Amino acid sequence: MQALKASSFTPFQLNLNSTTSFPKPNLYFHPNNENSISCFPSIHNQNAKFKLFTAISPSVTTESVTPFDENEKFDWYAQWYPIMPICDLDKRRPHGKKVMGIDVVVWWDRNEKEWKVMDDSCPHRLAPLSEGRIDQWGRLQCVYHGWCFNGSGDCKFIPQAPRDGPPVHTSKRACATVYPSCVQNEILWFWPNSDPLYKDIYLTKRPPYIPELDDSSFSKSFIVRDISYGYELLIENLMDPAHVQYSHYGIMNHCSCNVKADREGGRPLDITVTKLDVNGITANQGPGRNTFVPPCMYYSSFAFGGPHSKTSAESSGAVQEKPSAEKKKKAILVFICIPVSPGHSRIIFSTPRNFAVWADRIIPRWIFHLGQNLILDSDTYLLHVEEHKLKEIGSYNWLKACYVPTKADAIVVAFRRWLNKYAGGEVDWRGKYNGDLPPTPPREELLDRYWTHTVNCTSCNLAYKGLNAFEVILQIASIGVIGIVAAAKQGTLSVVARIEKEWKVMDDSCPHRLAPFSYGRIDQWGRLQCVYHGWCFGFSFSGI
C-alpha cells in the first residue's frame, strides 16, 4: 500500500516518517445528503478486546482460532461489486469480466443511455455474449447465431425464426439474465443476484462511496490490474506496510534513517486497530487512518497542513466530514479488491488528492501505470507461492501457521480474524469450484502485464500501440522488464553460508508469513534474508 502511494505522488513524495500528530476530529453528517446512513455503528463495549491487536502477540501455541459466527454472518452475495472504471470501458463493444466466479458481459445500451451488466451466456446455446457486438439498433448481438437482446434482457430478434411464424423470441426462455448495476465514483458496480426482488436495490443499499473521487478539486487516476493470487492475499498484502522496504526495494524511495538495522531500513511500526466487526475494520497508523469496508474497499486517508479530518466510505453513499475554512492538503489511497476466482483477483486503485492536481491533468495515465505496475510485479511471485502454502494449511489455521509477534502485523491479523469470524474463512464461491488453486505457471506468464493490464487499459493500450512504431525505445524499456522477470528457482534453497564456508539446505518457507526464502538474498553479514519482511537467519538458521 505504502509503495503504491509513493509511486502515485511522484514527484511529490509524502513524508511517511513524520512524527507530527493531528488532532482527532469530530464526526459530522454531510449537510446536503438526505440519505446519510452510516454503515459503521458505534463501537460497543465488547470491542475492547480488540486492543490485543496492538500488543505483542502470544506464541503460536496459545493462539486461538475464532470460530465462524452464524449470528453475524457476512453475506458475500448481498453486496455491490465493482467491475471496471468507466474510463476503461469502450461503448462500442461488449466486455467480458469475471467477478465472484460469475461471468458477466458489460455493454453500453445507447437506447437507455446507461451501462448494462448481464450474464455472459446466450440462452440459445450458451455462447459468450461478450464475444458479440453492438448492432446498428443498439442491441447486444450474440456472435454465434445472431440473437439480439435489449438492455432489459429481452430477446428482440431471432434470425432463424420465420417472420410469419409464432413469436418465439418473446418466450421467457429466450431472455438473457440481467443484474442490477449502477455507476458510482465513475466505477461500474453490479449486484450478483438477478432476482427481480433486487431490481431496485440501489435505492436501499448503495456501494461504498468516496466523495473525493467526485470532487473536482481533487485529482484522480485509476489503474486496474488482474492479479495472479487470490482476494484474501491481495487485501492482506495491501494492509501490510512493513513489507514495502523489502519486497519493493530499489523501486520506490525509502526513508533516509540515520540508524539502520539493515540495508533496507526496516523499523518498528505502531499500528492500532480501533474497530473490528462484521461491517469492517478501522486502524490508525501515525497521521493516517485505514479503513476496510467489506468486501472490496480498503482506503487510507492522510491530511497535512490543517485539522485532520476523517473520510468515510458509506454503503448508503453518505459522507461524514467536518468542513474547514483552512486549506489543507489531503490524499486518499483507495484500493478496491475484487474476488475473481480461486487464485485470481483484480485491483482498482486510485489516489485522489487536492495538491499537485496539475500532474494528473498533463501527464498521461500510462506514465503513472509504469511505476505502479512495477510495484505490483515485484511481490506477485512470492505472494502466489505463499498462497499455495496457506491453502495446504487451511484458512482457519493461519494464526497457528504464521508467527506475527509485532504491531506491524496488527491490521493483517485483524483482517484474518474478520475473515474467520464473520465471512466463513474465505470467499463463498457457492460450489462453483472444487477448492483447488490453479497450478503455478512459468514466472514469465505469472508476471505478464499485457493481458493482466495493458489490453484493458485505454491509456496503456494506446501507448502500447504507439510505442510499437518506435522499436528502439521499446527495446530500451524492455530492459526494466527483463530485470523484474529475473527468477530465483522455486523449491529447495541452497545458499552459501559465509561464516561456515559451506552449503546449507533448508525449507523454502519463512516462519513469519510463509514467503519463499528462494526469492530473498544474502545480506552484507552473510545471513539469509527473506524478501517479504526482511527477517534474517544466521548459519544455524535461527531467526535474528
Side-chain angles (χ1 to χ4, degrees):
M1 180 186 75
Q2 304 283 11
L4 285 172
K5 172 173 63 179
S7 71
S8 303
F9 296 151
T10 305
F12 304 93
Q13 300 293 336
L14 297 180
N15 182 8
L16 301 179
N17 307 311
S18 174
T19 57
T20 304
S21 60
F22 295 87
K24 193 170 184 178
N26 294 322
L27 211 56
Y28 288 84
F29 286 107
H30 211 285
N32 297 323
N33 197 319
E34 298 177 357
N35 299 317
S36 297
I37 304 173
S38 173
C39 68
F40 291 141
S42 59
I43 301 175
H44 300 289
N45 290 336
Q46 72 259 23
N47 289 336
K49 63 186 178 182
F50 300 134
K51 289 296 182 181
L52 65 90
F53 298 133
T54 69
I56 301 299
S57 302
S59 65
V60 291
T61 57
T62 61
E63 279 283 6
S64 61
V65 177
T66 307
F68 181 59
D69 190 341
E70 286 288 350
N71 296 325
E72 292 187 287
K73 181 179 179 180
F74 178 79
D75 189 346
W76 290 93
Y77 290 87
Q79 315 294 333
W80 286 98
Y81 287 88
I83 298 180
M84 285 287 284
I86 297 302
C87 63
D88 286 326
L89 291 176
D90 187 347
K91 292 182 178 180
R92 298 169 298 177
R93 64 181 182 88
H95 304 262
K97 296 294 176 184
K98 185 188 290 289
V99 180
M100 286 293 290
I102 302 172
D103 290 307
V104 298
V105 57
V106 177
W107 63 287
W108 175 254
D109 184 353
R110 71 168 184 249
N111 297 310
E112 296 188 22
K113 300 293 189 295
E114 60 185 20
W115 290 98
K116 298 294 183 178
V117 179
M118 297 166 54
D119 191 64
D120 194 14
S121 180
C122 180
H124 177 213
R125 299 264 291 279
L126 309 185
L129 292 172
S130 57
E131 292 297 315
R133 71 181 185 96
I134 310 299
D135 72 5
Q136 59 267 45
W137 293 283
R139 304 173 300 190
L140 177 61
Q141 184 184 71
C142 178
V143 72
Y144 199 16
H145 293 91
W147 288 32
C148 295
F149 304 88
N150 66 9
S152 300
D154 300 326
C155 182
K156 306 304 291 183
F157 178 56
I158 298 178
Q160 296 78 22
R163 303 294 185 272
D164 56 352
V168 292
H169 68 279
T170 61
S171 170
K172 290 184 178 180
R173 295 189 61 187
C175 295
T177 301
V178 181
Y179 294 100
S181 60
C182 67
V183 174
Q184 182 165 278
N185 285 146
E186 298 185 26
I187 297 172
L188 179 64
W189 302 72
F190 93 111
W191 186 270
N193 193 325
S194 59
D195 192 303
L197 292 174
Y198 299 100
K199 180 180 180 181
D200 298 318
I201 187 64
Y202 180 76
L203 300 177
T204 55
K205 182 175 182 178
R206 299 182 183 181
Y209 179 68
I210 302 294
E212 288 79 6
L213 287 174
D214 289 336
D215 191 335
S216 59
S217 66
F218 279 74
S219 175
K220 64 178 179 293
S221 177
F222 287 109
I223 179 173
V224 181
R225 176 79 180 260
D226 288 335
I227 306 295
S228 297
Y229 50 85
Y231 157 89
E232 297 89 347
L233 259 292
L234 175 59
I235 289 190
E236 178 185 307
N237 188 53
L238 293 172
M239 290 178 170
D240 173 22
H243 80 282
V244 171
Q245 288 91 345
Y246 300 93
S247 296
H248 309 303
Y249 180 79
I251 299 176
M252 57 168 288
N253 293 335
H254 301 291
C255 65
S256 55
C257 305
N258 294 329
V259 179
K260 289 186 178 182
D262 55 17
R263 178 192 67 173
E264 294 80 4
R267 64 195 187 282
L269 297 176
D270 187 7
I271 300 177
T272 303
V273 175
T274 58
K275 170 185 168 291
L276 192 162
D277 59 27
V278 68
N279 295 312
I281 302 168
T282 302
N284 295 329
Q285 180 189 350
R289 184 171 184 263
N290 306 317
T291 304
F292 169 57
V293 184
C296 299
M297 183 77 74
Y298 179 68
Y299 66 94
S300 299
S301 58
F302 302 85
F304 306 87
H308 185 44
S309 62
K310 292 182 180 179
T311 298
S312 295
E314 302 292 340
S315 61
S316 63
V319 182
Q320 297 182 5
E321 187 173 4
K322 180 178 178 179
S324 173
E326 182 181 354
K327 177 67 174 179
K328 54 183 175 294
K329 294 180 180 180
K330 187 175 182 181
I332 316 292
L333 304 181
V334 182
F335 300 95
I336 303 177
C337 307
I338 307 168
V340 174
S341 62
H344 295 282
S345 57
R346 185 176 302 119
I347 183 174
I348 301 174
F349 171 54
S350 183
T351 57
R353 63 186 186 276
N354 64 357
F355 60 94
V357 176
W358 60 267
D360 283 11
R361 293 178 179 174
I362 66 173
I363 301 176
R365 280 198 302 155
W366 66 268
I367 295 292
F368 294 105
H369 290 183
L370 288 175
Q372 292 162 350
N373 274 307
L374 195 64
I375 292 169
L376 291 171
D377 285 342
S378 59
D379 55 11
T380 292
Y381 176 77
L382 69 92
L383 289 168
H384 177 89
V385 173
E386 181 179 317
E387 181 178 39
H388 279 256
K389 294 180 180 181
L390 289 172
K391 185 65 178 180
E392 297 175 2
I393 295 167
S395 60
Y396 284 105
N397 293 320
W398 187 90
L399 285 171
K400 291 183 178 180
C402 299
Y403 182 48
V404 283
T406 69
K407 291 183 180 182
D409 294 309
I411 193 168
V412 173
V413 174
F415 170 69
R416 284 292 174 173
R417 289 190 182 276
W418 176 88
L419 200 62
N420 289 342
K421 182 175 182 179
Y422 301 110
E426 59 186 3
V427 176
D428 179 10
W429 302 111
R430 287 192 172 176
K432 300 184 187 74
Y433 304 96
N434 61 11
D436 295 335
L437 292 173
T440 300
R443 187 174 304 196
E444 292 80 4
E445 182 180 337
L446 196 68
L447 297 178
D448 174 78
R449 192 179 295 178
Y450 180 79
W451 292 109
T452 59
H453 170 72
T454 305
V455 73
N456 295 311
C457 174
T458 55
S459 179
C460 291
N461 196 19
L462 181 63
Y464 176 79
K465 292 177 180 178
L467 286 174
N468 278 334
F470 301 95
E471 183 177 359
V472 175
I473 298 177
L474 189 60
Q475 289 176 347
I476 296 174
S478 68
I479 295 175
V481 179
I482 295 172
I484 297 171
V485 184
K489 288 187 177 180
Q490 179 186 4
T492 303
L493 169 70
S494 296
V495 300
V496 177
R498 298 178 189 169
I499 298 176
E500 293 188 348
K501 299 190 184 308
E502 63 184 18
W503 293 95
K504 296 292 183 180
V505 179
M506 60 183 290
D507 186 69
D508 191 18
S509 181
C510 179
H512 178 214
R513 299 264 287 283
L514 311 186
F517 278 131
S518 56
Y519 206 55
R521 72 179 189 98
I522 309 302
D523 72 5
Q524 59 267 49
W525 294 284
R527 304 173 302 187
L528 175 63
Q529 183 183 69
C530 176
V531 72
Y532 198 16
H533 291 90
W535 286 32
C536 295
F537 300 81
F539 61 89
S540 61
F541 296 106
S542 58
I544 296 180

